[in-house]
Amino acid sequence: MQKIPMTRNGLVRLEDELRRLKGEDRPAVIRAIAEAREHGDLSENAEYHAARDRQSFIEGRVLELEELISTAEVIDPSQLSGDQVKFGAHVQLVDEETDKESAYQIVGVHEADIKQGLLSISSPLAKSLIGKSVGDSVSVPAPGGDRTYEILTVAYR
């Protein structure tokens, strides 16, 4: 089975979600199904069908999370060093056209959240950054045309 690279924080978030699904959401949907059954004819019971759909989603997500957690390979960025960008790096960039600065941490696919600055290792930007160093420029294809960024800092923490 292939290991999935992930940070400790990413693994903790997945474990927390799994705990919530098993400990709170699953019991709640079971209660909702039981209540809906008490209302009689199930063929026309929208509450029952909605609860069953929710149960199906929860069970699927539980299986997915258990698989991800069992195959996770935790990489501790604080144990890494150097000035080259690799998994776990905190990278500060500047858009060479607009001078707008942005900061990201390169993380695993299943923990990415661009709003929190967590950039998936499989994203076009991360792929172009891997192996580059401070001062290097990278070109990234974007819908409005290629964007060029300069790497300002690379840190592991």
Side-chain angles (χ1 to χ4, degrees), residues 40-146:
D41 185 5
L42 298 181
S43 65
E44 296 182 19
N45 188 330
E47 289 174 11
Y48 174 78
H49 292 290
R52 290 297 306 229
D53 287 346
R54 177 77 179 135
Q55 182 184 36
S56 178
F57 170 80
I58 290 169
E59 294 306 323
R61 184 65 178 156
V62 164
L63 290 173
E64 180 183 16
L65 289 170
E66 288 175 340
E67 175 75 14
L68 288 173
I69 290 167
S70 72
T71 58
E73 177 183 3
V74 176
I75 297 173
D76 183 358
S78 68
Q79 301 300 311
L80 304 174
S81 63
D83 63 350
Q84 279 195 332
V85 178
K86 50 192 167 234
F87 184 90
H90 291 264
V91 183
Q92 188 170 0
L93 309 171
V94 63
D95 185 314
E96 292 184 347
E97 188 175 310
T98 65
D99 286 334
K100 181 179 176 210
E101 291 188 17
S102 50
Y104 302 103
Q105 180 182 17
I106 298 178
V107 298
V109 173
H110 301 285
E111 58 185 313
D113 183 345
I114 200 69
K115 290 179 182 173
Q116 293 184 21
L118 301 174
L119 185 65
S120 169
I121 186 81
S122 67
S123 70
L125 178 55
K127 286 180 178 179
S128 64
L129 290 170
I130 298 294
K132 301 292 191 284
S133 301
V134 173
D136 288 350
S137 289
V138 296
S139 182
V140 182
D146 288 1

